Amino acid sequence: MTRVSEIRFGEWIAIRTHEDGHVAELVLDRPKAMNAVSTELGRRLAEATTALAADREVRAVVLTSTHDRAFCVGADLKERNSFTDAELVRQRPHARAAYTGVLELPMPVVAAVHGFALGGGFELALSCDVIVADTTAVVGLPEVSVGVIPGGGGTQLLPRRVGAARAAELIFSARRVEAAEARELGLVDLLVPEGEDRTEALALAARMAANSPVGLRAAKRALRLGHGLDLRAGLEVEDAAWRSVAFSGDRAEGVAAFNEKRKPNWPGE
């Protein structure tokens, strides 16, 4: 049986570890507010991602929600409504740290999305490498409808997924997109039956975590750093990542295990 342990970061964020510590579930757990990103939730999410980034045992992460009708509805507008201009300026670094913390995790990250993933909630999903959504998912970046812009990476991450014109249409119209269209447009990657998003995301993360942790991190680094570069520059990024793994213990173990027809025992170095 898979062991699961939990560490809390404040009231609303948790890390649950699965698969002998190799799969970690990063849990949004503010159900009374549909996981709205307040200053406190953002601060704790940044703390949790910092801890995950430093954990060499974790090979893959799944971002999940405990709310049955929402992944995350974005910024806490009730809190924002109470801010003075000075307070909003002071809050901004905490918000950025939360989204950047997810985006910069060095291992593969899978989002498990159901229900509403709007504004900052969708930006958290976009910060992941793969988005698994169930048929109840509704996604979108409606920020211009309340007088702001996507500020958690949406204006940069969405066009990298769907192209500049499609991203412009979605951001400028502020429209919500239901699951089937979201899959068709590439806003989510895998569409699964209702209630299966977390199960499927954890299964995908477990398949990822069976592979070399050194290889996974290097591959992610090459994918992220090479994106948007011309081919020659991208191949240089890839070569640097290859050199970082070519003489690793994981590479030696992987080749040996293949030749000996056995499961690798990754040293992780």
Side-chain angles (χ1 to χ4, degrees), residues 74-98:
D76 187 336
L77 295 184
K78 290 183 179 179
E79 180 188 65
R80 295 282 179 91
N81 191 49
S82 70
F83 282 171
T84 64
D85 289 351
E87 288 170 334
L88 183 60
V89 170
R90 288 195 295 271
Q91 191 263 356
R92 178 61 176 165
H94 298 296
R96 287 200 67 185

Side-chain angles (χ1 to χ4, degrees), residues 46-89:
E47 291 176 359
T49 55
T50 297
L52 281 171
D55 191 337
R56 301 299 298 187
E57 290 298 313
V58 175
R59 301 177 186 173
V61 173
V62 178
L63 181 60
T64 64
S65 161
T66 60
H67 197 284
D68 60 357
R69 292 188 294 109
F71 175 73
C72 173
V73 293
D76 187 336
L77 295 184
K78 290 183 179 179
E79 180 188 65
R80 295 282 179 91
N81 191 49
S82 70
F83 282 171
T84 64
D85 289 351
E87 288 170 334
L88 183 60
V89 170

Side-chain angles (χ1 to χ4, degrees), residues 12-16 25-29 62-66:
W12 299 324
I13 298 293
I15 293 176
R16 297 172 184 161
E25 194 175 354
L26 179 56
V27 185
L28 306 175
D29 187 23
V62 178
L63 181 60
T64 64
S65 161
T66 60

Side-chain angles (χ1 to χ4, degrees), residues 25-48:
E25 194 175 354
L26 179 56
V27 185
L28 306 175
D29 187 23
R30 193 189 179 195
K32 291 183 179 179
M34 289 187 168
N35 295 323
V37 182
S38 64
T39 303
E40 175 64 11
L41 187 146
R43 183 182 291 115
R44 298 301 187 177
L45 182 57
E47 291 176 359

